[in-house]
Amino acid sequence: MQSTATKPTPSFPSLSNECYVLDADDTVTGPLQALVLDHLLLNEGTAYWVDTTGHARTDTLARLAPSARMLNRIQVARGFTAYQHAALVYRVTELITPDTPLVVAPAIDAMYRDNDYGVDGAAMLRNAIATLTARCRETDTPLVVTCYCRD
């Protein structure tokens, strides 16, 4: 008689109403998406994902999600410049309510590293992070961020 080995079920940390900075490199896309989906399975509502460098890949999200309906609960916005990203962060803070289960901002610093058009990227990044974390704390919404580059 041959026994079939079962794959261990991954366990994810429970996300409480805190700001989490994941120490990760660019290969974090799959694990980050799995963490987000796991959290949404346990909580009601729509999550907001402010993307920069393609972490919200629909192919891996669709492969990991238990159903297509789960994907409808993740609203993704992607900025391609520091100005766009900052505007999206401010827009998302207007949408966050106490019923929002999660906000995700991977590679939050990526668009602010170039000083294009005389932009003070460091100041814009500080303002975006401060605005986002303040609103998440105010509404007791978990926030998960990663950094593109470690200084």
Side-chain angles (χ1 to χ4, degrees):
M1 183 157 126
Q2 183 177 356
S3 69
T4 53
T6 59
K7 292 182 182 178
T9 303
S11 64
F12 295 100
S14 295
L15 300 176
S16 61
N17 304 330
E18 304 277 334
C19 176
Y20 299 91
V21 180
L22 299 181
D23 185 17
D25 57 23
D26 274 350
T27 62
V28 75
T29 301
L32 175 62
Q33 290 179 351
L35 175 64
V36 169
L37 291 168
D38 180 72
H39 186 75
L40 288 178
L41 283 169
L42 301 172
N43 296 276
E44 300 282 326
T46 300
Y48 297 105
W49 187 307
V50 184
D51 204 42
T52 55
T53 57
H55 284 82
R57 292 185 46 136
T58 55
D59 58 338
T60 51
L61 271 170
R63 189 174 67 244
L64 293 170
S67 73
R69 289 189 337 200
M70 177 66 66
L71 299 177
N72 293 334
R73 295 182 50 212
I74 304 171
Q75 297 295 310
V76 178
R78 182 173 293 138
F80 297 95
T81 69
Y83 288 113
Q84 289 174 352
H85 189 267
L88 291 173
V89 165
Y90 294 118
R91 177 63 181 128
V92 164
T93 60
E94 295 171 350
L95 299 172
I96 298 170
T97 69
D99 295 327
T100 302
L102 182 63
V103 175
V104 184
I108 194 166
D109 58 330
M111 295 298 125
Y112 302 94
R113 297 216 169 258
D114 293 328
N115 284 331
D116 292 340
Y117 312 107
V119 173
D120 182 4
M124 286 181 71
L125 176 61
R126 283 191 302 273
N127 288 336
I129 291 172
T131 301
L132 194 55
T133 56
R135 182 62 180 155
C136 286
R137 285 186 182 129
E138 181 181 299
T139 58
D140 289 329
T141 302
L143 169 64
V144 176
V145 300
T146 67
C147 292
Y148 183 73
C149 184
R150 294 180 206 124
D151 289 330

Short mmCIF file of all heavy atoms in Angstrom, two decimals, residues 1 6 13 15 18-19 32 35 40-41 49 52 66 80 84-85 88 90 94 112 114-115 121 130 134 139-140 144:
data_model
loop_
_atom_site.label_atom_id
_atom_site.label_comp_id
_atom_site.label_asym_id
_atom_site.label_seq_id
_atom_site.Cartn_x
_atom_site.Cartn_y
_atom_site.Cartn_z
N MET A 1 0.84 -1.16 0.00
CA MET A 1 0.00 0.00 0.00
C MET A 1 0.89 1.23 0.00
O MET A 1 1.81 1.34 0.79
CB MET A 1 -0.88 -0.02 1.23
CG MET A 1 -1.83 1.11 1.26
SD MET A 1 -3.22 0.66 2.29
CE MET A 1 -3.22 2.00 3.40
N THR A 6 0.91 14.47 1.44
CA THR A 6 0.14 15.69 1.23
C THR A 6 1.05 16.89 1.46
O THR A 6 1.95 16.85 2.29
CB THR A 6 -1.05 15.78 2.21
OG1 THR A 6 -0.55 15.74 3.54
CG2 THR A 6 -2.02 14.64 1.97
N PRO A 13 0.44 34.76 8.96
CA PRO A 13 0.19 35.49 10.20
C PRO A 13 -1.17 36.19 10.12
O PRO A 13 -1.64 36.55 9.04
CB PRO A 13 1.33 36.52 10.24
CG PRO A 13 1.75 36.69 8.83
CD PRO A 13 1.51 35.36 8.17
N LEU A 15 -3.33 39.31 10.44
CA LEU A 15 -3.07 40.74 10.34
C LEU A 15 -4.04 41.48 11.23
O LEU A 15 -5.24 41.47 11.00
CB LEU A 15 -3.22 41.20 8.88
CG LEU A 15 -2.30 40.54 7.87
CD1 LEU A 15 -2.62 41.03 6.46
CD2 LEU A 15 -0.85 40.80 8.21
N GLU A 18 -2.64 47.00 12.27
CA GLU A 18 -1.30 47.57 12.36
C GLU A 18 -0.79 47.88 10.97
O GLU A 18 -1.37 47.50 9.97
CB GLU A 18 -0.34 46.54 13.00
CG GLU A 18 -0.75 46.02 14.35
CD GLU A 18 -0.36 46.94 15.48
OE1 GLU A 18 0.61 47.70 15.32
OE2 GLU A 18 -1.04 46.90 16.51
N CYS A 19 0.37 48.51 10.93
CA CYS A 19 1.10 48.72 9.68
C CYS A 19 2.23 47.70 9.64
O CYS A 19 3.04 47.63 10.57
CB CYS A 19 1.65 50.13 9.60
SG CYS A 19 2.66 50.40 8.13
N LEU A 32 3.07 37.59 -1.12
CA LEU A 32 2.28 38.76 -0.75
C LEU A 32 0.83 38.57 -1.19
O LEU A 32 -0.10 38.82 -0.42
CB LEU A 32 2.86 40.03 -1.37
CG LEU A 32 2.05 41.31 -1.14
CD1 LEU A 32 1.97 41.65 0.34
CD2 LEU A 32 2.66 42.46 -1.93
N LEU A 35 -0.88 36.09 1.06
CA LEU A 35 -1.20 36.70 2.35
C LEU A 35 -2.47 37.55 2.24
O LEU A 35 -3.36 37.47 3.08
CB LEU A 35 -0.03 37.56 2.84
CG LEU A 35 -0.25 38.35 4.13
CD1 LEU A 35 -0.47 37.43 5.31
CD2 LEU A 35 0.93 39.28 4.37
N LEU A 40 -8.36 38.07 3.17
CA LEU A 40 -9.71 38.34 2.66
C LEU A 40 -10.66 37.16 2.86
O LEU A 40 -11.87 37.36 2.97
CB LEU A 40 -9.64 38.72 1.18
CG LEU A 40 -9.06 40.10 0.89
CD1 LEU A 40 -9.01 40.36 -0.60
CD2 LEU A 40 -9.84 41.19 1.60
N LEU A 41 -10.12 35.95 2.90
CA LEU A 41 -10.97 34.80 3.18
C LEU A 41 -11.55 34.86 4.59
O LEU A 41 -12.64 34.36 4.84
CB LEU A 41 -10.18 33.50 3.02
CG LEU A 41 -9.94 33.04 1.59
CD1 LEU A 41 -8.93 31.90 1.56
CD2 LEU A 41 -11.26 32.62 0.94
N TRP A 49 -5.47 48.03 -3.15
CA TRP A 49 -4.09 47.69 -3.48
C TRP A 49 -3.54 48.83 -4.33
O TRP A 49 -3.99 49.04 -5.46
CB TRP A 49 -4.07 46.39 -4.26
CG TRP A 49 -2.72 45.80 -4.55
CD1 TRP A 49 -1.66 46.42 -5.15
CD2 TRP A 49 -2.30 44.47 -4.28
NE1 TRP A 49 -0.61 45.56 -5.27
CE2 TRP A 49 -0.98 44.35 -4.73
CE3 TRP A 49 -2.91 43.37 -3.70
CZ2 TRP A 49 -0.25 43.18 -4.64
CZ3 TRP A 49 -2.19 42.21 -3.60
CH2 TRP A 49 -0.88 42.11 -4.05
N THR A 52 2.74 49.67 -7.82
CA THR A 52 3.70 50.46 -8.58
C THR A 52 4.45 49.62 -9.60
O THR A 52 4.50 49.96 -10.76
CB THR A 52 4.75 51.11 -7.66
OG1 THR A 52 5.37 50.12 -6.87
CG2 THR A 52 4.13 52.17 -6.78
N PRO A 66 -9.30 31.25 -4.50
CA PRO A 66 -10.18 30.09 -4.52
C PRO A 66 -11.37 30.27 -5.45
O PRO A 66 -11.98 29.30 -5.87
CB PRO A 66 -10.63 29.95 -3.07
CG PRO A 66 -10.44 31.30 -2.48
CD PRO A 66 -9.30 31.94 -3.21
N PHE A 80 2.30 55.14 -12.28
CA PHE A 80 3.53 54.97 -13.07
C PHE A 80 4.52 56.10 -12.84
O PHE A 80 5.63 56.06 -13.35
CB PHE A 80 3.17 54.86 -14.56
CG PHE A 80 2.34 53.65 -14.86
CD1 PHE A 80 0.97 53.72 -14.91
CD2 PHE A 80 2.96 52.42 -15.06
CE1 PHE A 80 0.20 52.60 -15.17
CE2 PHE A 80 2.21 51.28 -15.33
CZ PHE A 80 0.83 51.37 -15.38
N GLN A 84 1.39 60.30 -9.89
CA GLN A 84 0.25 59.39 -9.99
C GLN A 84 0.10 58.55 -8.74
O GLN A 84 -1.00 58.37 -8.22
CB GLN A 84 0.40 58.47 -11.21
CG GLN A 84 0.23 59.15 -12.53
CD GLN A 84 0.53 58.21 -13.70
OE1 GLN A 84 1.02 57.10 -13.51
NE2 GLN A 84 0.24 58.66 -14.90
N HIS A 85 1.22 58.02 -8.24
CA HIS A 85 1.15 57.19 -7.05
C HIS A 85 0.65 58.00 -5.85
O HIS A 85 -0.22 57.53 -5.10
CB HIS A 85 2.52 56.58 -6.74
CG HIS A 85 2.47 55.55 -5.66
ND1 HIS A 85 2.70 55.86 -4.34
CD2 HIS A 85 2.20 54.22 -5.71
CE1 HIS A 85 2.58 54.76 -3.62
NE2 HIS A 85 2.28 53.75 -4.42
N LEU A 88 -3.02 58.52 -6.12
CA LEU A 88 -3.75 57.28 -5.81
C LEU A 88 -3.79 57.02 -4.31
O LEU A 88 -4.81 56.60 -3.77
CB LEU A 88 -3.13 56.10 -6.53
CG LEU A 88 -3.30 56.09 -8.05
CD1 LEU A 88 -2.49 54.95 -8.67
CD2 LEU A 88 -4.77 55.98 -8.43
N TYR A 90 -3.73 59.26 -1.93
CA TYR A 90 -4.70 60.18 -1.35
C TYR A 90 -6.14 59.77 -1.68
O TYR A 90 -7.02 59.87 -0.83
CB TYR A 90 -4.43 61.61 -1.80
CG TYR A 90 -3.11 62.12 -1.24
CD1 TYR A 90 -2.09 62.49 -2.09
CD2 TYR A 90 -2.89 62.18 0.13
CE1 TYR A 90 -0.87 62.93 -1.58
CE2 TYR A 90 -1.68 62.61 0.64
CZ TYR A 90 -0.67 62.98 -0.22
OH TYR A 90 0.52 63.40 0.29
N GLU A 94 -9.38 58.30 0.98
CA GLU A 94 -10.76 58.76 1.02
C GLU A 94 -11.74 57.58 1.00
O GLU A 94 -12.88 57.71 1.44
CB GLU A 94 -11.05 59.67 -0.17
CG GLU A 94 -10.27 60.97 -0.15
CD GLU A 94 -10.41 61.77 -1.44
OE1 GLU A 94 -10.96 61.22 -2.43
OE2 GLU A 94 -9.96 62.92 -1.46
N TYR A 112 9.23 57.09 -6.20
CA TYR A 112 9.75 58.33 -5.61
C TYR A 112 11.27 58.41 -5.66
O TYR A 112 11.86 59.37 -5.20
CB TYR A 112 9.28 58.45 -4.16
CG TYR A 112 7.77 58.43 -4.05
CD1 TYR A 112 7.08 57.24 -3.82
CD2 TYR A 112 7.03 59.59 -4.21
CE1 TYR A 112 5.71 57.21 -3.73
CE2 TYR A 112 5.65 59.58 -4.12
CZ TYR A 112 4.99 58.38 -3.88
OH TYR A 112 3.63 58.36 -3.79
N ASP A 114 13.24 58.41 -8.41
CA ASP A 114 13.75 59.24 -9.50
C ASP A 114 13.36 60.69 -9.23
O ASP A 114 12.23 60.98 -8.85
CB ASP A 114 13.15 58.81 -10.84
CG ASP A 114 13.63 57.44 -11.26
OD1 ASP A 114 14.78 57.09 -10.92
OD2 ASP A 114 12.85 56.72 -11.90
N ASN A 115 14.27 61.59 -9.44
CA ASN A 115 13.96 63.00 -9.26
C ASN A 115 13.56 63.61 -10.60
O ASN A 115 14.11 64.60 -11.05
CB ASN A 115 15.15 63.75 -8.66
CG ASN A 115 15.29 63.47 -7.18
OD1 ASN A 115 14.30 63.19 -6.52
ND2 ASN A 115 16.49 63.52 -6.66
N GLY A 121 11.24 63.64 -4.36
CA GLY A 121 10.66 62.32 -4.12
C GLY A 121 10.62 61.93 -2.66
O GLY A 121 9.64 61.34 -2.21
N ALA A 130 2.76 58.93 5.42
CA ALA A 130 2.11 59.51 6.60
C ALA A 130 0.59 59.56 6.42
O ALA A 130 -0.16 59.23 7.34
CB ALA A 130 2.66 60.91 6.86
N ALA A 134 -1.81 57.16 8.67
CA ALA A 134 -2.72 57.87 9.57
C ALA A 134 -4.16 57.43 9.35
O ALA A 134 -4.91 57.18 10.30
CB ALA A 134 -2.59 59.37 9.38
N THR A 139 -8.94 54.21 11.12
CA THR A 139 -10.04 53.29 10.83
C THR A 139 -9.76 51.85 11.30
O THR A 139 -10.55 50.96 11.03
CB THR A 139 -10.32 53.26 9.31
OG1 THR A 139 -9.13 52.86 8.63
CG2 THR A 139 -10.80 54.61 8.82
N ASP A 140 -8.63 51.65 11.96
CA ASP A 140 -8.22 50.31 12.41
C ASP A 140 -8.14 49.32 11.25
O ASP A 140 -8.60 48.18 11.33
CB ASP A 140 -9.17 49.76 13.48
CG ASP A 140 -9.02 50.48 14.80
OD1 ASP A 140 -7.89 50.93 15.10
OD2 ASP A 140 -10.02 50.60 15.53
N VAL A 144 -0.32 46.75 4.68
CA VAL A 144 0.87 45.95 4.37
C VAL A 144 1.63 46.67 3.27
O VAL A 144 1.09 46.96 2.21
CB VAL A 144 0.50 44.52 3.91
CG1 VAL A 144 1.75 43.75 3.50
CG2 VAL A 144 -0.27 43.79 5.00
#
